[in-house]
Amino acid sequence: MFVVIVHLQVRPGRLDAFRQGIETNARASRQEPGCLRFDVLRSEEDPHRFVLYEIYRDQAAFFTEHRAAPHYAAWRRVAEECVTEHRNTFCHPVSLQGQDS
């Protein structure tokens, strides 16, 4: 599995356009065969801060399949218009069972 965590700060006045764009992107992403999970989380402290929590089958499902999908290009346009800060974290789940701390 391959996990993507995206931190986003939305421009003031662009919240409605952002929410529409991210909802469309999330819905389409969830239909991709390689997407196992796509959650959109909104900060309680700052209504313009969001976190996307995405899990894909593997890196290729994200970097090759997801990024090549037509809805991803539409999402990129929304992000360019609505987002002031965009930071990605990529990781692989690790099992800590039976390991010393």
Side-chain angles (χ1 to χ4, degrees):
M1 287 191 297
F2 184 67
V3 178
V4 181
I5 301 168
V6 184
H7 297 267
L8 300 164
Q9 182 71 35
V10 178
R11 295 182 204 291
R14 299 298 298 165
L15 198 52
D16 288 340
F18 170 82
R19 290 180 70 180
Q20 182 179 5
I22 195 59
E23 287 172 11
T24 299
N25 182 53
R27 192 170 32 258
S29 296
R30 290 179 188 121
Q31 299 303 310
E32 294 173 12
C35 182
L36 306 176
R37 183 174 186 153
F38 195 113
D39 294 330
V40 179
L41 310 167
R42 186 177 186 184
S43 170
E44 288 184 7
E45 293 82 26
D46 180 351
H48 290 86
R49 183 164 295 279
F50 289 78
V51 174
L52 309 183
Y53 180 75
E54 308 169 45
I55 302 176
Y56 294 87
R57 176 187 65 241
D58 53 27
Q59 285 182 315
F62 176 75
F63 285 112
T64 305
E65 298 165 28
H66 175 66
R67 287 188 168 184
H71 68 86
Y72 186 79
W75 160 245
R76 295 294 299 161
R77 285 190 296 277
V78 169
E80 288 173 11
E81 294 172 3
C82 299
V83 173
T84 60
E85 179 187 331
H86 181 185
R87 186 171 33 94
N88 292 339
T89 300
F90 303 109
C91 50
H92 295 276
V94 175
S95 174
L96 300 177
Q97 265 186 325
Q99 296 183 10
D100 293 350
S101 354

